[in-house]
Structure formats: C-alpha cells, structure tokens
Amino acid sequence: MQDDPHPLLDIAEVARRSGLAASALRFYEKKGLITPAGRNGLRRTYRPEVLERLGLITCARSAGLSVAEIGRFLAARPSDGDLRERMAARAEDLDEQIGRLTRLRDSLRHAAGCTHEPIVDCPDFKRAIGAVATAGATRVGEP
C-alpha cells in the first residue's frame, strides 16, 4: 500500500503553518469559510489545501473585508453581478489607500534623511505630508 502524498493535517499543524490560532480556525469553520476533512480522535483534520484558502482569508481580512464579505466572495459565481460590483468598489478603495500609504512612506523616507531643523518644517516634507493629508481628507464624511 502506498502512503498518501498529501496526508491530512491536524488542527495544531494547520494553526502552526498558517500562523492562526486554533480558535480562529474553529471560528472560520463555524462561519463556513473552511471545512475540516474529518477527525483524528477528538482533533479536527484538514486537507493541505486549506492552507491556501487560509492565506486568501488572511489577505482579505488584512485588506479590510469582513468575514461575511469573504464568505460571499468564496461562494461567488461569475453570474453574481452585485458581488462583482462590490468587489470592484473595494478594489478602488484599496487603490486609494495604497496611494495614501505610498505617499506617507515616501514622506517618512525623506524625513529619515532630512537635515532641515526641525524636520517637520522642511518644505519638501510638508509638501509630501500635505499630499497625504489632502488625499485622506477627500474621504472624510463619505458614507
């Protein structure tokens, strides 16, 4: 008999490899985002591909998507136009956020090497920070 090239992983191993707590795995399971393959005694077991799905979930969470939004996305079909529109709008929001963060990063890099006394009065730094603040102010008060 040949060994399975992709043996099941118990919950502790999935937690270790994914960097998530076992409680998070149980929560994602309860919300229908992941599915266990079965049990080994009292411990849940998962197929190795769950790690890829958890990577997607982790990435989506860090981008600000809710668990409910992730659940809808994971179940989406090409015909789900409403979800596609929401995801496109979210992608636009992320583009704006990336732009603001990029400007902030560039401002901080400038400040790290700036010799102006004090750094916050440097015209180049003020201009860069102003661009970050102005871009963020356009979002204030938006629903």
Side-chain angles (χ1 to χ4, degrees):
M1 182 171 197
Q2 186 174 334
D3 286 335
D4 183 353
H6 302 287
L8 296 177
L9 307 172
D10 78 10
I11 192 168
E13 181 65 12
V14 172
R16 186 186 70 75
R17 289 190 189 185
S18 68
L20 297 168
S23 59
L25 300 175
R26 289 187 294 271
F27 174 76
Y28 290 153
E29 181 183 327
K30 182 178 178 184
K31 295 298 182 179
L33 302 182
I34 62 173
T35 306
R39 291 190 176 269
N40 183 4
L42 296 176
R43 298 181 79 123
R44 290 169 170 84
T45 58
Y46 298 90
R47 289 185 171 69
E49 5 351 307
V50 76
L51 295 170
E52 184 177 308
R53 189 167 184 111
L54 288 168
L56 173 63
I57 292 167
T58 300
C59 182
R61 292 288 292 153
S62 69
L65 274 68
S66 69
V67 170
E69 289 171 321
I70 295 167
R72 287 190 299 272
F73 175 71
L74 292 173
R77 298 291 178 248
S79 61
D80 190 347
D82 182 52
L83 180 64
R84 285 173 172 261
E85 287 178 23
R86 288 195 311 268
M87 291 296 116
R90 185 67 183 122
E92 289 295 321
D93 290 345
L94 287 171
D95 281 341
E96 291 176 17
Q97 184 178 4
I98 290 167
R100 285 192 305 276
L101 290 172
T102 299
R103 290 186 294 275
L104 179 58
R105 179 204 60 207
D106 293 348
S107 301
L108 293 173
R109 282 188 178 152
H110 172 79
C114 184
T115 58
H116 197 279
E117 291 272 344
I119 292 171
V120 295
D121 287 340
C122 170
D124 293 332
F125 180 74
K126 282 183 169 186
R127 190 171 24 262
I129 287 296
V132 172
T134 302
T138 61
R139 305 273 313 166
V140 173
E142 289 184 6

